[in-house]
Amino acid sequence: MCGIIGVSNHPESARLAYLGLYALQHRGQESAGIVSVDEAGVARTHRGMGLVSDVFSEGVMDSFEGSTAIGHTRYSTAGSSVLANSQPVLVRYRSGTLALGHNGNLTNAAELRRELVDGGSIFQSTMDSEILVHLIARSRHRDPADQIREALGRVEGAYSLVITVNQVMYAVVDPRGFRPLMLGKVRDAVVVASESCALDIVGAGAVCELEPGTLLRIEGGKIDYLDPLPPQAPKRCVFELVYFSRPDSLIFGESVDQYRRALGRRLAREHPALGADCVFSVPDSSNAAALGFSEASGIPLEHALIRNHYVGRTFIHPVQAGRDAKVKIKYNTVRDILAGKKVVVVDDSIVRGTTSRGLVNMIRHAGAQEVHFRVASAPIVGPCYYGIDTPTRDELIAANHSVAEIAAYLGVDSLGYLSLEGMVESSAGDPTRFCDACFSTHYPTPVPSDSAKLRLESEAARAQKV
Amino acid sequence: MCGIIGVSNHPESARLAYLGLYALQHRGQESAGIVSVDEAGVARTHRGMGLVSDVFSEGVMDSFEGSTAIGHTRYSTAGSSVLANSQPVLVRYRSGTLALGHNGNLTNAAELRRELVDGGSIFQSTMDSEILVHLIARSRHRDPADQIREALGRVEGAYSLVITVNQVMYAVVDPRGFRPLMLGKVRDAVVVASESCALDIVGAGAVCELEPGTLLRIEGGKIDYLDPLPPQAPKRCVFELVYFSRPDSLIFGESVDQYRRALGRRLAREHPALGADCVFSVPDSSNAAALGFSEASGIPLEHALIRNHYVGRTFIHPVQAGRDAKVKIKYNTVRDILAGKKVVVVDDSIVRGTTSRGLVNMIRHAGAQEVHFRVASAPIVGPCYYGIDTPTRDELIAANHSVAEIAAYLGVDSLGYLSLEGMVESSAGDPTRFCDACFSTHYPTPVPSDSAKLRLESEAARAQKV
Amino acid sequence: MCGIIGVSNHPESARLAYLGLYALQHRGQESAGIVSVDEAGVARTHRGMGLVSDVFSEGVMDSFEGSTAIGHTRYSTAGSSVLANSQPVLVRYRSGTLALGHNGNLTNAAELRRELVDGGSIFQSTMDSEILVHLIARSRHRDPADQIREALGRVEGAYSLVITVNQVMYAVVDPRGFRPLMLGKVRDAVVVASESCALDIVGAGAVCELEPGTLLRIEGGKIDYLDPLPPQAPKRCVFELVYFSRPDSLIFGESVDQYRRALGRRLAREHPALGADCVFSVPDSSNAAALGFSEASGIPLEHALIRNHYVGRTFIHPVQAGRDAKVKIKYNTVRDILAGKKVVVVDDSIVRGTTSRGLVNMIRHAGAQEVHFRVASAPIVGPCYYGIDTPTRDELIAANHSVAEIAAYLGVDSLGYLSLEGMVESSAGDPTRFCDACFSTHYPTPVPSDSAKLRLESEAARAQKV
Amino acid sequence: MCGIIGVSNHPESARLAYLGLYALQHRGQESAGIVSVDEAGVARTHRGMGLVSDVFSEGVMDSFEGSTAIGHTRYSTAGSSVLANSQPVLVRYRSGTLALGHNGNLTNAAELRRELVDGGSIFQSTMDSEILVHLIARSRHRDPADQIREALGRVEGAYSLVITVNQVMYAVVDPRGFRPLMLGKVRDAVVVASESCALDIVGAGAVCELEPGTLLRIEGGKIDYLDPLPPQAPKRCVFELVYFSRPDSLIFGESVDQYRRALGRRLAREHPALGADCVFSVPDSSNAAALGFSEASGIPLEHALIRNHYVGRTFIHPVQAGRDAKVKIKYNTVRDILAGKKVVVVDDSIVRGTTSRGLVNMIRHAGAQEVHFRVASAPIVGPCYYGIDTPTRDELIAANHSVAEIAAYLGVDSLGYLSLEGMVESSAGDPTRFCDACFSTHYPTPVPSDSAKLRLESEAARAQKV
């Protein structure tokens, strides 16, 4: 997953991009980068591995110039974890300087890459995003907007993009709108960002959310809505709402916090835990759902798990090794609350089940008498091909085991997943607008076969290591 | 403030100390250090500025040897922010190798330092803890326990200590017991740590809390209770419970989480906010109090403020500059909850008022109709001389302004502080055992005059900069 | 200027490349890089700014795998000083993984780049070497050797190359042979390197020097001489012998040390300094010439200038700013030798004249009565377009001033440059085989106009900064 | 060994100290440090492991303030290689801020340390220099000059010192004058430094060399010669002239370059190599001696060994491991000169013999027919206790083997050491003023027994590792 931001027509464009990346840090902690472009079209860039606060120093920030900037924070979805795979991509091509930040994942990347490579293109990274850059550069159109449109006509999958060609910025959302992209203004400057929380931090009022298929041209404070991309049925990623986005963000037309509250209430109705003494969340991503559960069930809310915030976010750590050991580093129990109690744990989702199992162990060790596990989303039965870094089907516990088996594996007294209907109906908006492929395996686009995916990755891995 | 840990009789002593420091990171983020001592008495040390995870690499951890180790994580209370002031202090003296980690603050440091300096002692840091090391080294006793006892006979103030003399470990709590120190065992190893959460993370069962005046000698898995220090009335720091310790810790004989819940309930009774639509916390330190407030008042709990956990903890950042700007970096509002609502904000304490004022601004900006601020502790009217890094009286808003003035400064519709009686009576234990000097100005020891304090600090600053 | 090395069929290929780069450090101190390729075709790379010893740590070296490796150490000739411009270039293209290290400079880079960009190619660096990679990737041939040959058919200028396509290595010298490339063997491994000193350090016996136009295919210890490139009159860079290469190297069929000795002897005959008390070198590059001068003239040799070797090499520092101040940092005089003496200073060449002028100042300040400056090469009257980082014509003192004017500028009593005939006739080999363009302005290829060169550079600078 | 510099009464004192350290880098590459003191007595310090250019950044240099500064560059003689052992030492004591930089080694350190430790002193490093600081701090005198004098009355051995007490600077040379210390002035500023080359680089004219026993007080541009220390027969370290100091320095009243030339000439007379084809040096420390040898013998000088200056200086590398491998990294041969020739190699000294043996191997491998090794100093038969980092007697090849045995070990056709008489008589000054203990074992002071030395070191090692 990734976070992107673009700032146009602001004298401190790179500093605003930096602040925005800070607010989008939860969307990717592997690498971060900023490109700024000045009036003469000179681009300056800095990218590095790690957190935004580690990558950018005061000195680096001082070196940026120009009123246009884009930023990117990355967690690997395609391409391995090396600096060469950090974004924004910055190249020089026919029409000048081109920078691009991409949130999402292309589903026909392997074919396109093969075709480009056959045509003599070279690849310096293993990111699918580099394909987009090649396609834009190969277009015979003269207007960059036409080049971008032609390139997008070739790709399938999920892409929210901020692009600069010289000092002109473009913002794009794919026709299905898998990933969010918000538009805001602060004085004369225009800002686009993955989530509204990044607009908030730079003091930008949210103008609106970009609809699926939008192609914007932004220059000198002016926003041009170019002809939209060919329409498709919208497929907003429900997992953004369930887990990924920040609760203070407004995306896909609704409040993330309110949606999660609704999930919790619905979960309490679908899987009540009668007679439980208390309910608590796995902090922080399921805080809202636990509150909703408590509200609807009347079971008192507690804070029984404490999270050490000096460690990162489990789900998006790249390496599996050592994950189990990390449960204890990240979480601890409040024993007085748990001893002798019948408790309800609310979590937002279960991926592999290893963290949940570790948590249940801790809760039992603290003396809980009964542990009832409630999940505020449906079982994850398929990998995501649109930008969320879920593992392969083999590692998804719900893709390979029944709820009863999972309950046994977790060691809980009962386990209840929210139904898929419950998930989509909890939305304040149109429940049909979602992509729920990881919960339903109804992929809205052709997807690479698992073997193709593996082959691509191993090919990519060959291209560059260290 | 600081966190300390000591591990004795464990083949991986330094790694346990490292894990423990991880859990104690909230007690100090300025520097961290570990000393390990092997069977031959050879000490190895590594100290650095920054977070535990930044200071220690895998390579550094590999370089430690020996079954005894102590660790320290520091936020400056006395002495400026430089590597020379990081702990543990490690020196060679008459009886061998001496390492010392100190949590607390000595109140007669200036006099002792002057006396030692007059006697020809040299100081390489500006920490009061270096005084302790000199006093131990100057003792004519042969037994290190006697040396330590003699040294402690000279100092006044707050000190929880882990000390090693060669491979023997000593754990000390001053006669008033200002700071917590927990004792645990994991198999044959003995662990002492500032809070029980550090015992949890290394899998050590808590044996007990060290009583005020305790002096322990720990060697080869054996714990000797030496004669206690001359008794004093206990003065447990109530601010540890109110704000500083982790909610999953058990200190001073009670659960931090449960105490804060009780504070919140009492606050709701003392300062109800009739007709409010919702109550929410300033996360995370006031989560429990807000829950208690909701419980007692029946006002629904919300999560209206979201904290970006990729930044540190406001209160303990060393430099004032830029603090106001940081409110927005750390917190954001959930607008849907706040728009048009009468809200209650629960915070654990107000120090300077700048963060609170920034939060109130944000809450109003998100559309709240009325803002009622509730503080789960009494007004802070005096600086702490016992280890909490509160500012001087001049900067403490409640030391210089009435509640009405503070309410006006914050821009709230009403402001309610918990009473001092309410605070101490919320305890599950003896309410007379607390030091509440920062709330009452009843200092249990003579304290340096403000001018003396300033002089010491400016003297210290002269000794070493950069 | 750059140094390159390739190692094939050795289990520790990257470590040999590392050692070789160490010996080639004088050819470029701006950045260094290594690519290794294993049996499965997986490439690993590490590149960084700075010296070889700074860029590669033990940990980095451990991460390389595979029996094929190439290395590069760079001083910027085309493209600005940023990490993106470090080599080897590593990309994935139609035939697999392609890595390339380039010593030299292409003279038709601007046209080729424009053409490629028009054809949709994207550029991630400002190096002319990236053009070669695009040309290889765009070739429709299937055999990489044919692809390389086709690409080389398009480029003009100077190039000694090591290339890997998967695990097969190619070594190339352009048809004029501007830059040296040596071939050696150590047991079953094949090594190619810019200078023989790099073969020596890895214990490889020199097999031979690659003739102009050579194209080698190296795999599994086997060396195939493919059909040579279309022949041209050889144009060996005489400046390699005069200044650039290490004196312990054998290049272009002769000993660098012996050639410089011959230059010094000839210089003594062309410009004797009758009655001088002593002769000394500007260490270390003119040590051999000064010895030759002393030998031929009978004037006693002294060591009157001492160089601080903890600083780099003047000529190849990228930034002009502060150069004058650096003379004193790099050199100091031995006063006892100079006081009251008539002295002869032998230097290898004069570029801008600033260092020489600083040295003369120092020598006078130390009490020398007469200073006779002797230069073991002809006046530099034109920039190099073939890989030596000489400045533009405007900055070349001899391109704009007579010898008398230069003597006045330097403040010397007499100034003598070796004649161009003297230079070439000092060679032990065929004197017509040299490129002496910087001394004669007889460029063996069309060269970019100065304005074109400037335009290219400013375009390149726009493509990427920071 | 170490280099020291002190600058008084200069607005850019730290920058001058920095430049001076640069010129003294050859005296120690392990760590470097600077302390500056401003008008208010506030001291600022920065110390780090590594070369001067690595330790100090522009930002660090900017942070220094004040017109007084001292600097130190260190190679370990006593105390292991850790940051805690870097200098200047900076402490706060009775009279204020005390900073001290020490070149030399105390011979009664073990006794003094034991006594101080018994008296309650604590040690934070393993350097003997810390003893001096304790002794000064323990003095009951009020005037710092008296404190220093009292402390020096207790110590034996070698010490050239720069000390600051608040803004007053003191410069000291021990009564025997083992180590050089030069005094210079640049405008109103006073500079003292280990060698005259450091005065040259800051543009300071050398005022004079400090005589043995000198104690200077320097303040506000004024130099006070305080009463000298109790006199002793001078014992100037001849090894400074033979090897350690820079050839452009003037120390002990003579030119290092001229002295080494004289050594070479004498060596040629004592051990001619009749019929040899050429003579060459092991660069750079024996360049002057080889030139002298050539001059006196008439054997033509060559440059047959080339040194890669991107590596450090062999003799003063702390770890023995890997030394042999390093010969090849540091040196290479010029084959054309050596092939089939009878050659004379001139080196300044032989310590362990490993480097010499490696060089002889290389020379033979390059085809030399006969190798005659000439050493421009006498056999080293004893360790130095006065600051030169020679190994223990066990490792000194000449302490344990006859010249014939050494010749066999090196694999040379003949081996000639200069006689001790030859060494001292080559001086332009009084030949009796030298300490030649490492050549004669006539130690001018009591020296620690080897076992005592080992005990001290192992004790020291225990005090602090990592």
Side-chain angles (χ1 to χ4, degrees), chain C residues 19 22-23 25-26 29 51 197 200-203 246-248 250 255 257-258 261 284 287-288 291 301-303 306 308-311 313 328-329 332-337, chain D residues 19 22-23 25-26 29 51 197 200-203 246-248 250 255 257-258 261 284 287-288 291 301-303 306 308-311 313 328-329 332-337:
Chain C
L19 273 177
Y22 216 80
Q25 184 75 80
H26 62 290
Q29 295 106 43
L51 296 182
C197 64
D200 293 342
I201 204 172
V202 302
R246 264 173 53 168
D248 49 325
L250 241 158
S255 156
D257 173 80
Q258 294 301 298
R261 284 285 284 283
D284 289 333
N287 284 353
L291 185 55
L301 185 75
E302 291 284 350
H303 301 313
I306 300 301
N308 183 350
H309 284 292
Y310 297 101
V311 267
R313 201 169 171 179
K328 221 168 160 186
I329 288 182
N332 197 14
T333 52
V334 181
R335 284 160 188 262
D336 281 32
I337 296 175
Chain D
L19 273 177
Y22 216 80
Q25 184 75 82
H26 62 289
Q29 294 105 46
L51 296 181
C197 64
D200 293 342
I201 204 172
V202 301
R246 261 172 56 165
D248 50 325
L250 243 158
S255 156
D257 174 80
Q258 294 300 300
R261 284 283 286 282
D284 289 328
N287 284 353
L291 185 55
L301 184 75
E302 291 283 351
H303 302 313
I306 300 301
N308 183 349
H309 285 291
Y310 297 100
V311 268
R313 201 167 169 179
K328 222 169 158 185
I329 288 183
N332 197 15
T333 52
V334 181
R335 284 160 189 262
D336 280 33
I337 296 175

Side-chain angles (χ1 to χ4, degrees), chain C residues 6-24:
Chain C
V7 180
S8 175
N9 204 41
H10 195 286
E12 296 275 17
S13 63
R15 287 192 182 268
L16 262 62
Y18 169 77
L19 273 177
L21 289 186
Y22 216 80
L24 298 173

Side-chain angles (χ1 to χ4, degrees), chain A residues 19 22-27 29 51 53-54 196-198 200-204 246-250 254-255 257-258 261 284 287-288 291 295 301-303 306-313 316 328-337, chain B residues 19 22-27 29 51 53-54 196-198 200-204 246-250 254-255 257-258 261 284 287-288 291 295 301-303 306-313 316 328-337:
Chain A
L19 274 178
Y22 216 79
L24 298 173
Q25 184 75 81
H26 62 289
R27 297 184 71 86
Q29 294 106 44
L51 296 182
S53 55
D54 295 334
S196 64
C197 65
D200 293 342
I201 205 172
V202 301
R246 263 173 56 168
D248 50 326
S249 285
L250 242 158
E254 62 192 304
S255 156
D257 173 80
Q258 294 301 302
R261 284 284 284 284
D284 289 335
N287 284 352
L291 185 55
E295 210 176 303
L301 185 76
E302 291 283 351
H303 301 314
I306 300 300
R307 182 170 170 181
N308 184 347
H309 283 292
Y310 297 101
V311 268
R313 199 167 171 179
I316 55 174
K328 223 169 157 185
I329 288 183
K330 270 184 69 173
Y331 298 104
N332 197 15
T333 52
V334 180
R335 284 159 189 262
D336 281 32
I337 295 175
Chain B
L19 273 178
Y22 216 81
L24 298 173
Q25 183 75 80
H26 62 289
R27 297 183 71 85
Q29 293 106 45
L51 296 182
S53 55
D54 294 333
S196 64
C197 64
D200 293 342
I201 204 171
V202 302
R246 262 173 55 169
D248 50 325
S249 285
L250 242 158
E254 62 192 304
S255 157
D257 173 80
Q258 294 299 301
R261 283 285 285 282
D284 289 334
N287 284 352
L291 186 54
E295 211 177 302
L301 185 76
E302 290 285 349
H303 300 314
I306 299 300
R307 182 170 168 181
N308 183 349
H309 284 292
Y310 296 100
V311 268
R313 200 167 171 179
I316 55 175
K328 221 167 159 187
I329 289 183
K330 271 183 70 173
Y331 298 103
N332 196 15
T333 52
V334 180
R335 285 162 186 259
D336 281 33
I337 296 176

